[in-house]
Amino acid sequence: MPRTAALEVRTTSTTSPVPRVADSDRRRTSASVVLRSVLEHGPVARSTIARLTGLSPAAVTEHCARLSGLGLIRESAVPRRSNGAGRPHVPVDLDDSRYLVGGVHVAVPYTTVALLDLRGRVLARRELKHRGSTEPYEVLARAADGLAELLAASGRDRPLGVGFAAGGWVDRDSGTVVEHPLLGWRDVPARDVVEARIGLPVRVDGHARALVNAERLFGRARGSRSVLHLFVGNVVDAAFATHDEVHHGPRSQAGAVAHLPLAGGTEPCACGRVGCLQVELSERTLCRRAREAGVVDGVNPMRVLAAAKDGNPVAVRLLRERARMTGRAAGLLLDVLNPERVVVTEIGVIHREDCLTALRTEVGAERAGSVVPTSFGDSVLAVAGGAVALDVLYRDPLTVPRPRTASN
């Protein structure tokens, strides 16, 4: 995956921060910041892009022409006049009608396959149950076949590639799920398997890192100088981005918070300790406690949510307590990393205002305003997969193949 150096950020009184060029590969990085500016501000005049990015008007014009030739941007239908006189400024906007990306997210109970447009919007998705088996090659084959069916039905013939995301330890560079204890996966070459099956380029990353990138590009964290994402599902992990770069660490092991001790935790962990973050907050633990209290049967946390919506006081208490302990975990990470923005993916926080309040109360009044739920609601898993591919596009848009014409 092409990488850029950290991008300098300049803020203005009327706009959110936009990256400025600070990379030796100036052409690639300039194209990236121009495309990001169009995504964020479009329809936008080229002169405004120059002001926001610090690029010269000539460079912006050149990059806009190149991005337009690749089919990534287009001129807006309605030109804008400057002070009502002279030649109209024809703004440019993202062309989200031509391309799409595929997304695969492997969770503990099922795999989500999806199609996303260039704005990160989910165009189609499907959940594929594991059918009682989480054997990795079977799961990946079903995912590739399910995604191929969505592509065939989409009516668009320009998929740019596929993003793959999962929890656990995922090595982006090798395209491998190194370890996913809850699935029983170890050293699974996810990129190679899906790529061979579907015939498109595949990029791989951990889902917390993928969602940090999605929040940077399309969500509430757009323009933030530093972002922490805390993912609380069956798997609990985190990711941290600063100055437009997500921290991966050696072999992409950064963000492994599953065995951090959580104050007040009582659940025994397989590692031999008590109160580890993942076993305390896991959806498996939530559902087990709900079963023991006679609230629901089964292992679907959405049933706990439905019971709380119907007024079951035990379900409400369980969700609020989980949100409160999630807030305690977020506070711990805030103490260590001090991010400008914290994004939390957790079902209670996503769907219930009282759970969000419980989380923010635990974080503390001074920092509560920096903590927000995921921008993607029930689409979060679909977005996670596609965001891996979209991050590659927005970092290096010049890798997009030029559209074919009648002459070529």
Side-chain angles (χ1 to χ4, degrees), residues 24-371:
S24 58
D25 190 349
R26 190 167 295 271
R27 181 167 172 262
R28 181 187 68 193
T29 306
S30 297
S32 172
V33 296
V34 169
L35 186 61
R36 288 274 300 277
S37 296
V38 175
L39 168 68
E40 182 170 352
H41 300 284
V44 59
R46 294 169 179 83
S47 58
T48 302
I49 297 174
R51 175 175 58 81
L52 291 170
T53 64
L55 293 167
S56 70
V60 170
T61 297
E62 177 185 352
H63 284 296
C64 284
R66 185 175 288 115
L67 295 171
S68 178
L70 293 173
L72 296 173
I73 68 173
R74 59 187 172 189
E75 290 188 339
S76 183
V78 180
R80 295 177 177 176
R81 290 190 176 273
S82 177
N83 298 323
R87 289 187 62 184
H89 295 295
V90 180
V92 292
D93 203 359
L94 197 69
D95 187 348
D96 55 20
S97 65
R98 185 189 302 266
Y99 297 114
L100 52 76
V101 300
V104 176
H105 178 275
V106 179
V108 174
Y110 57 83
T111 297
T112 302
V113 294
L115 303 179
L116 280 68
D117 69 9
L118 298 193
R119 297 185 189 275
R121 298 177 298 203
V122 177
L123 304 174
R125 63 175 167 173
R126 184 178 301 169
E127 291 179 359
L128 308 172
K129 300 286 186 181
H130 290 326
R131 300 177 182 173
S133 170
T134 57
E135 197 285 321
Y137 294 91
E138 292 181 13
V139 170
L140 294 175
R142 286 198 298 271
D145 293 346
L147 187 58
E149 291 174 4
L150 289 185
L151 285 166
S154 71
R156 300 193 192 188
D157 60 355
R158 297 305 304 267
L160 291 176
V162 176
F164 173 97
W169 178 6
V170 181
D171 182 9
R172 175 197 59 177
D173 293 332
S174 67
T176 302
V177 179
V178 181
E179 187 175 26
H180 195 309
L182 295 183
L183 288 174
W185 289 16
R186 190 170 185 86
D187 296 323
V188 177
R191 179 182 63 202
D192 295 343
V193 173
V194 177
E195 207 166 76
R197 188 100 179 179
I198 201 167
L200 291 168
V202 176
R203 305 285 183 163
V204 170
D205 211 343
H207 61 194
R209 291 190 293 267
L211 288 167
V212 162
N213 286 324
E215 293 287 349
R216 281 192 312 104
L217 291 169
F218 316 113
R220 295 187 178 99
R222 177 184 280 176
S224 297
R225 288 178 290 272
S226 57
V227 186
L228 168 70
H229 182 268
L230 177 60
F231 186 98
V232 181
N234 282 303
V235 173
V236 179
D237 50 18
F240 181 63
T242 181
H243 294 295
D244 210 42
E245 288 292 326
V246 178
H247 181 61
H248 284 76
R251 291 204 70 193
S252 300
Q253 293 186 76
V257 299
H259 294 286
L260 288 180
L262 192 59
T266 59
E267 290 288 328
C269 183
C271 74
R273 292 180 291 184
V274 173
C276 289
L277 200 153
Q278 178 161 293
V279 72
E280 199 67 37
L281 298 180
S282 171
E283 288 176 352
R284 289 185 169 190
T285 301
L286 172 69
C287 290
R288 193 206 75 227
R289 289 171 174 172
R291 289 195 304 272
E292 291 173 350
V295 175
V296 297
D297 295 324
V299 294
N300 187 345
M302 298 305 291
R303 293 184 178 177
V304 183
L305 198 66
K309 185 177 180 180
D310 290 340
N312 185 298
V314 177
V316 171
R317 177 179 59 78
L318 289 171
L319 288 169
R320 286 179 181 171
E321 177 63 15
R322 185 177 190 241
R324 188 181 69 81
M325 295 296 276
T326 299
R328 185 167 295 180
L332 174 66
L333 296 173
L334 268 162
D335 288 341
V336 174
L337 298 170
N338 192 31
E340 181 179 332
R341 177 75 57 154
V342 179
V343 181
V344 176
T345 296
E346 191 272 337
I347 58 166
V349 173
I350 292 171
H351 293 281
R352 293 181 61 90
E353 190 65 31
D354 59 339
C355 289
L356 178 59
T357 298
L359 181 146
R360 286 175 167 167
T361 299
E362 188 67 29
V363 167
E366 291 185 0
R367 303 186 296 186
S370 67
V371 182

